[in-house]
DNA sequence: ATACTACGGGG
DNA sequence: CAGTACGTAGTAT
């Protein structure tokens, strides 16, 4: 019984060797595979034998073989080119692509270890329950008196650690006398780092989890290690932590001990307005996690106030605890996805849904002897991005506040459309069928004789899910039940991503026509649902893509409404064919609908979920965020838009008087590049440059806190860093017109307020335009 | 309308 | 290392 945690390759002499990192019941095992060589394919324009002869003469090519593969549903001859080393592939594919007789180079961009996993058929992350993985989280607090902490100057103050065997630690250079059982005082930061690394190794940790460790904890830890001239040897065989570029961000890789960063995982799994650790913790466990403001940390540390220091250390411990708890609840799904997609958990947990689907398809293509299409070039990607189609059904909502809202979600509509219509680029408008029976509203039809590739993969996922759900129904053991539940979740997640994949501009199996046809059929079915809902006496407040928001005017009791809703659900589901299913997604006592994609709902616990409305980013001033919050809350709790409008009018008046303190008007924006490199400097850059002349230190990475003042022409001209502005010197018009009003108008436009009215200039256009 | 620039998580 | 995100929203021109 083995669990593949990680895979990579190394060179043994001039030969590549795949390294497989397993955990068994006995412990770690590293297996090396030396009889697998890198390869890719080439297709010929005409003379495949001639092309073969030319390629055979290349230096780093160890052999060329003629083979038959399926391409877009048809058989074709290809050349399989075996290569000596993976690193030879990029240059070779360029050269071969440039040959006169060569049409295309295929499958030349798959990482070597991933290629091996696909070809050998091994499955990562098996038997995780039986073997029992050791999971540990860690978190760091660092000194940050200058705002953004700088690794070359600011030390790590403490490292907190928690594992699933119950060990909890905070290593800190302060706090000895506080009597905290998890606190271990250390002499130095160096000792702190050593203790942490030692603990991970001694306790044979298999999975390291963090919250944003990819872009904060690990990079910072690495920098502090360099500072102290120590090696961050957290991996197996003393392997160092490695930072890899993943798009614009980093991924922190620990060889043989997969690091799973819960932040990207949560971003994929939940739909939340914010993804701070506390937000995710609340979402999962309904518990509020005490927070300490980053700006206060260095003061607490320097003050040596034992109470405050105790809170700070406790906070650090709670971060590691929370991260571990989140991980323990979400990792089973990550393991399951890793198994299904057959991608190691480090990569899988960081892949977006499009990449997940794609990797699954690459593996399934191998099994079916299908030649994998290439990724689009940047040019084609841009083309695809701009090419739109009549997408999902979205109707303008009935504007205003509504009570007792029921949400039905139609997500599994798309997978069942794909499988029942057999939608795929290998089946579209085939020669063997006429398509008269089943045409999509876009005019395309799909082969009724031969299964398409994606429908067959998707069909297998759906069938497997049905099987798992059946087992789930019979299973009594709660542990096995939860495993089965995770398995069906993973299958559902992948099945639901297939439609999006057809329209994903970077997809290898992208198909505009297929995506369009699926969307058109989706419109048809949801439209039918809405018509039937109306016929059953519901008021349809809003419908978007796969969901409908309904309410009943004549009933006010939650239970009555729920009963009627459930009955309607049954009625619809009885009429739907196959795996198609309308699902109950939620009940909301109150909600406000503004326009398409902009609404806020209050659930039964009084929690607000806001879509497309809030300005939470740091480049909005506090007064704007604050006023927006007040307006929303007033509308939802008092149902009184006049009261909400009055709040705005009050704030407008306050701004006009010059009475708003500067700190509430400050806008924060980061300098992301060298100051000289800006072609089109924004207000924060102009403000920073002006401040440089006054002796301030602004450079790449600094966050500029600035105010738009009265003196100057353009907005940039008038921007000054807050420390150089006198209280009251701000551009009231800017704050009213460019900050406050755009933000609150997003909400109040539903009530037919005009900007002028809110500014106190004109009259309200229509009073009580609804109920 | 288009180009450029920034946001997110973490302290 | 056979690999380089992403979708959205602001300002300036």
């Amino acid at each position: 019984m083995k669990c593949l945690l990680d895979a990579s390759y190394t060179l043994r002499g001039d030969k590549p060797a795949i390294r497989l990192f397993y955990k068994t019941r006995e412990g770690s095992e590293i297996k090396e595979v030396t009889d697998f060589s890198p390869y890719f394919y080439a297709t010929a324009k005409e003379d495949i034998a001639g092309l073969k002869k030319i390629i055979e003469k290349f230096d780093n090519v160890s052999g060329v073989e003629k083979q038959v593969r399926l391409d877009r549903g048809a058989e074709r001859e290809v050349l399989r080119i075996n290569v000596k080393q993976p690193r030879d592939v990029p240059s070779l594919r360029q050269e071969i692509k440039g040959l006169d007789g060569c049409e295309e180079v295929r499958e030349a961009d798959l990482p070597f270890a991933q290629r091996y996993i696909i070809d050998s058929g091994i499955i990562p992350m098996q038997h995780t329950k039986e073997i029992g993985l050791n999971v540990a989280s860690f978190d760091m607090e660092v000194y940050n008196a200058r705002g953004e902490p700088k690794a070359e100057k600011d030390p790590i103050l403490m490292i907190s650690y928690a594992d699933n065997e119950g060990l909890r630690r905070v290593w800190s250079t302060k706090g000895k006398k506080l009597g905290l059982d998890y606190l271990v005082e250390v002499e130095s930061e160096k000792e702190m780092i050593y203790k942490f690394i030692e603990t991970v190794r001694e306790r044979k940790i298999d999975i390291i989890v963090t919250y944003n460790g990819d872009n904060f904890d690990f990079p910072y830890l690495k920098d502090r290690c360099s500072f102290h001239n120590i090696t961050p040897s957290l991996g197996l065989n003393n392997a160092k932590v490695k930072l890899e570029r993943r798009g614009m961000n980093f991924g922190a890789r620990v060889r043989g001990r997969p690091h799973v960063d819960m932040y990207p995982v949560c971003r994929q799994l939940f739909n939340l307005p914010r993804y701070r650790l506390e937000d995710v913790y609340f979402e999962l466990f309904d518990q509020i996690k005490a927070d300490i403001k980053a700006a206060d940390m260095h003061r607490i540390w320097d003050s040596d106030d034992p109470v405050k220091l105790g809170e700070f250390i406790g906070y650090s411990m709670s971060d590691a605890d929370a991260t571990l708890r989140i991980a323990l609840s979400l990792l089973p799904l990550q393991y399951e996805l890793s198994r299904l997609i057959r991608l190691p958990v480090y990569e899988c947990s960081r892949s977006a849904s499009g990449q997940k689907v794609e990797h699954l398809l690459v593996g399934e293509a191998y099994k079916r002897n299908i030649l994998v299409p290439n990724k689009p070039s940047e040019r084609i990607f841009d083309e695809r991005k701009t090419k739109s189609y009549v997408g999902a059904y979205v109707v303008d909502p009935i504007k205003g506040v509504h009570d007792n809202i029921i949400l039905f979600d139609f997500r599994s509509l798309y997978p069942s459309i794909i499988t029942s219509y057999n939608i795929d680029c290998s089946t579209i408008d085939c020669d063997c069928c006429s398509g008269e029976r089943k045409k999509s509203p876009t005019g395309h039809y799909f082969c009724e004789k031969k299964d398409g590739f994606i429908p067959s993969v998707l069909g297998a996922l759906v069938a497997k899910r049905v099987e798992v759900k059946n087992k789930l129904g019979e299973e009594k053991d709660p542990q096995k039940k939860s495993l089965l539940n995770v398995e069906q979740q993973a299958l559902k997640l992948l099945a639901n991503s297939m439609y999006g994949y057809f329209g994903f501009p970077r997809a290898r199996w992208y198909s505009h026509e297929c995506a369009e046809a699926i969307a058109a059929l989706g419109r048809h079915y949801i439209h039918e649902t809405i018509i039937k809902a109306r016929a059953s006496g519901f008021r349809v407040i809003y419908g978007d893509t796969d969901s409908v928001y309904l309410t009943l005017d004549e009933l006010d009791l939650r239970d009555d409404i729920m009963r009627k809703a459930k009955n309607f659900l049954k009625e619809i589901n009885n009429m739907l064919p196959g795996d198609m299913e309308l699902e109950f997604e939620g009940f909301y006592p109150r909600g406000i609908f503004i326009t398409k994609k902009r609404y806020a709902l209050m659930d039964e616990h009084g929690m607000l979920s806001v879509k497309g409305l809030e300005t939470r980013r740091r480049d909005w001033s506090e007064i704007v965020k604050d006023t927006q919050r007040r307006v929303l809350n007033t509308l939802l709790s008092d149902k009184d838009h006049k009261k909400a409008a009055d709040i705005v009018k009050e704030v407008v008046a306050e701004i006009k008087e010059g009475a708003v303190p500067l700190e509430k008007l400050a806008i924060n924006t980061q300098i992301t590049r060298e100051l000289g490199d800006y072609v089109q400097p924004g207000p924060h850059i102009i403000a920073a440059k002006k401040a440089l002349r006054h002796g301030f230190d602004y450079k790449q990475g600094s966050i500029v806190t600035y105010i738009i003042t009265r003196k100057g022409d353009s907005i940039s001209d008038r921007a000054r860093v807050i420390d150089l502005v006198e209280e009251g010197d701000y551009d009231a018009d800017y704050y009213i017109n460019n900050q406050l009003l755009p933000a609150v108008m997003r909400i109040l436009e539903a009530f037919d307020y005009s900007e002028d009215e809110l500014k106190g200039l004109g009259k309200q256009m229509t009073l009580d335009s609804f109920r």
Side-chain angles (χ1 to χ4, degrees):
Chain A
M1 203 178 274
K2 283 179 176 184
C3 171
L4 180 72
L5 293 170
D6 191 15
S8 68
Y9 82 94
T10 186
L11 288 178
R12 292 280 171 246
D14 60 348
K15 283 197 132 190
I18 302 279
R19 307 187 80 203
L20 302 169
F21 296 82
Y22 286 103
K23 162 118 189 226
T24 68
R25 280 191 167 149
E26 284 69 48
S28 296
E29 182 187 314
I30 303 172
K31 192 183 160 197
E32 285 204 7
V33 178
T34 48
D35 60 353
F36 184 71
S37 75
Y39 69 90
F40 60 93
Y41 298 104
T43 58
K45 280 180 188 153
E46 285 152 15
D47 179 14
I48 190 159
L51 184 66
K52 181 168 183 274
K53 276 190 188 135
I54 295 168
I55 296 173
E56 274 166 347
K57 295 201 185 86
F58 277 85
D59 264 354
N60 295 319
V61 170
S62 53
V64 186
E65 217 180 310
K66 216 162 32 168
Q67 295 187 341
V68 177
R69 292 276 179 274
L70 287 165
D71 196 15
R72 291 209 160 211
E75 286 194 344
R76 77 182 293 188
E77 280 198 313
V78 296
L79 296 175
R80 176 177 157 143
I81 301 160
N82 290 315
V83 172
K84 288 179 185 154
Q85 285 187 23
R87 67 168 180 224
D88 300 330
V89 171
S91 55
L92 263 174
R93 70 170 170 225
Q94 273 310 108
E95 282 180 67
I96 292 174
K97 211 166 112 186
L99 294 173
D100 280 341
C102 176
E103 185 203 38
E104 252 188 327
V105 160
R106 303 276 280 265
E107 304 196 20
D109 56 359
L110 275 112
F112 189 43
Q114 290 177 27
R115 172 90 268 181
Y116 176 76
I117 292 174
I118 288 169
D119 290 19
S120 64
I122 49 177
I123 298 172
M125 302 311 283
Q126 280 187 304
H127 314 298
T128 47
K129 256 266 150 47
E130 295 92 320
I131 288 170
L133 300 183
N134 299 330
V135 182
S137 71
F138 84 98
D139 181 59
M140 302 179 341
E141 312 305 327
V142 309
Y143 193 72
N144 62 346
R146 280 168 292 273
E148 193 75 7
K150 301 265 190 302
E152 61 271 23
K153 286 185 211 149
D154 301 318
I156 302 168
L157 303 178
M158 49 190 128
I159 299 178
S160 53
Y161 168 100
D163 68 34
N164 61 343
E165 295 280 299
L167 183 70
R168 296 165 76 237
R169 284 282 177 269
V170 174
W171 294 282
S172 167
T173 49
K174 280 188 184 176
K176 196 182 209 165
K177 297 192 188 89
L178 294 169
L180 300 163
D181 58 346
Y182 50 77
L183 181 76
V184 175
E185 196 175 276
V186 289
E187 289 302 309
S188 65
E189 184 190 18
K190 207 168 166 173
E191 188 192 341
M192 182 194 304
I193 297 172
Y194 273 129
K195 281 254 162 69
F196 165 57
I197 294 175
E198 200 180 277
T199 306
V200 169
R201 300 163 64 94
E202 274 178 3
R203 295 183 67 83
K204 298 191 175 12
I205 295 307
D206 301 305
I207 307 278
I208 300 176
V209 297
T210 62
Y211 201 83
N212 203 28
D214 275 350
N215 291 285
F216 181 74
D217 300 82
F218 271 118
Y220 209 91
L221 180 68
K222 276 200 79 169
D223 285 345
R224 292 309 289 174
C225 281
S226 323
F227 181 86
H228 290 298
N229 212 2
I230 52 184
T231 315
S233 49
L234 276 162
L236 287 181
N237 292 351
N238 302 326
K240 284 187 275 186
V241 178
K242 210 166 113 193
L243 295 185
E244 300 176 332
R245 259 244 105 85
R246 294 187 74 85
M248 282 157 57
N249 289 327
F250 291 102
R253 171 165 232 146
V254 184
R255 193 50 76 198
R257 268 190 242 282
H259 163 222
V260 181
D261 187 336
M262 300 317 293
Y263 169 59
V265 169
C266 293
R267 287 207 70 133
Q268 292 163 27
L269 243 40
F270 308 120
N271 187 11
L272 303 176
R274 296 203 68 175
Y275 296 88
R276 294 170 310 185
L277 179 58
E278 52 188 291
D279 303 317
V280 169
Y281 194 74
F282 186 84
E283 171 74 14
L284 272 168
F285 307 117
D286 250 345
Q287 286 171 12
I288 291 168
K289 220 194 127 291
D291 191 31
I292 291 186
K293 291 213 164 48
D296 297 335
M297 288 179 180
H298 71 279
R299 271 190 287 275
I300 295 172
W301 187 257
D302 288 337
S303 77
D304 285 321
D305 173 342
V307 177
K308 290 268 175 200
L309 193 61
E311 280 170 15
F312 190 20
I313 294 168
Y315 160 78
S316 183
M317 188 67 250
S318 77
D319 271 5
D321 286 336
T323 304
L324 180 69
R325 193 172 173 202
I326 291 167
L328 292 179
S329 91
L330 302 183
L331 280 174
L333 181 65
Q334 297 307 305
Y335 300 161
E336 186 57 43
L337 285 165
S338 173
R339 286 188 281 268
L340 275 173
I341 297 163
R342 299 206 285 129
L343 189 64
V345 72
Y346 168 85
E347 284 88 355
C348 193
S349 63
R350 287 165 180 79
S351 306
S353 71
Q355 300 299 334
K356 285 199 183 85
V357 168
E358 184 142 295
H359 197 82
L360 174 76
L361 292 177
V362 171
E364 293 299 314
Y366 179 85
K367 288 186 198 162
R368 291 165 170 80
N369 203 30
I370 290 171
L371 198 59
V372 175
N374 285 332
K375 284 186 189 168
S377 63
E378 274 310 293
R379 188 183 59 79
I380 293 177
F381 170 69
D382 286 340
E383 239 173 69
R384 288 178 180 181
K385 255 197 318 192
T386 50
K387 203 163 147 190
S388 62
Y389 55 88
V390 190
Y393 183 90
V394 188
V395 272
D396 273 317
I398 301 175
K399 287 181 184 182
V401 176
H402 301 280
D403 289 336
N404 299 328
I405 299 157
I406 289 150
L407 169 57
F408 288 134
D409 196 309
F410 228 149
R411 278 190 68 122
S412 55
L413 181 72
Y414 287 136
S416 50
I417 287 172
I418 297 169
T419 52
S420 57
Y421 284 78
N422 196 25
I423 297 177
D424 190 65
C425 35
S426 69
T427 58
I428 190 164
D429 301 333
C430 63
D431 299 328
C432 53
C433 311
S434 66
E436 284 315 308
R437 283 200 306 128
K438 274 192 193 170
K439 236 178 199 164
S440 94
T442 56
H444 290 291
Y445 63 90
F446 301 88
C447 186
E448 290 179 43
K449 291 174 185 157
K450 218 167 56 181
D451 267 355
F453 172 51
I454 290 180
S456 79
V457 174
L458 178 57
L461 291 177
V462 172
K464 178 88 192 177
R465 180 159 181 245
V466 171
E467 186 193 316
V468 172
K469 284 189 99 172
N470 286 339
K471 271 195 214 162
L472 186 60
E474 292 159 18
E475 186 58 63
K476 293 280 173 285
D477 178 2
Q479 274 217 344
K480 285 183 186 157
K481 236 180 148 74
S482 87
L483 267 175
L484 288 167
N485 187 41
V486 163
E487 193 181 349
Q488 70 84 17
Q489 267 183 56
L491 289 160
K492 181 181 177 183
L493 219 126
L494 285 174
N496 281 336
S497 309
M498 286 292 178
Y499 156 67
Y501 182 78
F502 275 116
F504 170 47
R506 280 197 203 279
R508 291 171 190 265
W509 278 275
Y510 170 87
S511 169
H512 181 262
E513 292 84 359
C514 291
E516 196 173 29
I518 300 162
L521 287 162
R523 286 170 72 89
H524 165 77
Y525 282 109
I526 202 160
H527 197 238
E528 287 288 295
T529 307
I530 285 175
I531 288 169
K532 292 198 169 104
R534 289 199 178 117
S536 301
F538 289 96
R539 202 145 70 96
V540 178
I541 300 170
Y542 180 50
D544 180 358
T545 317
D546 44 28
S547 51
V548 276
Y549 294 82
L550 307 173
T551 190
L552 271 169
D553 290 334
E554 74 271 21
L555 295 175
D556 349 304
L557 281 174
R558 177 196 186 281
D559 290 347
D560 292 342
I561 293 166
M562 288 290 277
R563 198 171 309 123
K564 204 153 176 218
K566 297 267 158 130
N567 284 338
F568 174 70
L569 201 63
K570 257 188 210 149
E571 181 194 322
I572 291 283
N573 280 326
N574 283 337
M575 289 186 290
L576 289 171
D579 335 304
M580 280 180 154
E581 193 189 353
L582 189 66
E583 288 175 330
F584 171 77
E585 272 296 314
F587 175 81
Y588 301 94
R590 192 164 281 176
I592 175 171
F593 289 77
I594 318 282
T595 59
K596 286 172 186 171
K597 315 270 184 200
R598 284 188 188 167
Y599 54 95
L601 295 162
M602 192 180 270
D603 72 14
E604 291 176 281
H605 312 288
M607 274 298 294
L608 213 55
S609 80
V610 186
K611 308 277 175 195
L613 287 171
E614 290 209 320
T615 33
R616 294 164 175 275
R617 294 157 46 138
R618 67 177 173 219
D619 52 356
W620 285 87
S621 54
E622 202 46 54
I623 192 144
V624 171
K625 290 188 270 194
D626 190 52
T627 312
Q628 208 188 34
R629 262 194 307 272
R630 284 170 63 198
V631 165
L632 259 183
N633 279 328
T634 304
L635 284 170
L636 284 166
S637 52
D638 299 352
K639 239 181 150 177
D640 184 349
H641 59 88
K642 279 183 224 154
K643 218 164 146 185
D646 285 344
I647 291 174
V648 180
K649 286 181 201 164
E650 271 168 39
V651 177
V652 167
E654 239 177 277
I655 295 175
K656 267 190 195 159
E657 279 167 30
V660 180
L662 288 185
E663 56 178 44
K664 292 187 89 176
L665 299 167
I667 302 165
N668 299 294
T669 312
Q670 192 174 27
I671 303 175
T672 54
R673 54 182 76 183
E674 292 299 328
L675 278 173
D677 291 351
Y678 280 90
V679 187
Q680 224 179 74
H684 63 302
I685 301 301
I686 305 291
K689 282 185 175 168
K690 275 187 272 192
L692 285 180
R693 297 199 285 271
H694 290 83
F696 282 80
D697 178 28
Y698 281 106
K699 51 177 177 274
Q700 192 169 23
S702 312
I703 289 175
V704 187
T705 303
Y706 65 96
I707 300 283
I708 304 298
T709 66
R710 293 202 203 96
K711 297 171 241 43
D713 299 325
S714 67
I715 288 173
S716 292
D717 250 5
R718 280 176 280 149
R720 272 169 210 273
V721 300
I722 190 162
D723 299 321
L724 292 174
V725 182
E726 279 182 38
E727 207 55 65
D729 176 18
Y730 62 82
D731 178 0
D733 283 343
Y734 173 84
Y735 283 98
I736 294 168
N737 294 321
N738 295 41
Q739 290 257 321
L740 185 69
L741 288 181
V744 296
M745 277 309 287
R746 290 178 181 198
I747 300 166
L748 288 174
E749 70 180 54
F751 302 90
D752 289 333
Y753 283 92
S754 70
E755 291 206 7
D756 283 350
E757 214 274 319
L758 292 172
K759 275 191 269 187
L761 293 175
K763 273 237 154 216
Q764 189 177 328
M765 280 145 52
T766 40
L767 261 170
D768 293 313
S769 57
F770 71 100
R771 290 209 279 162

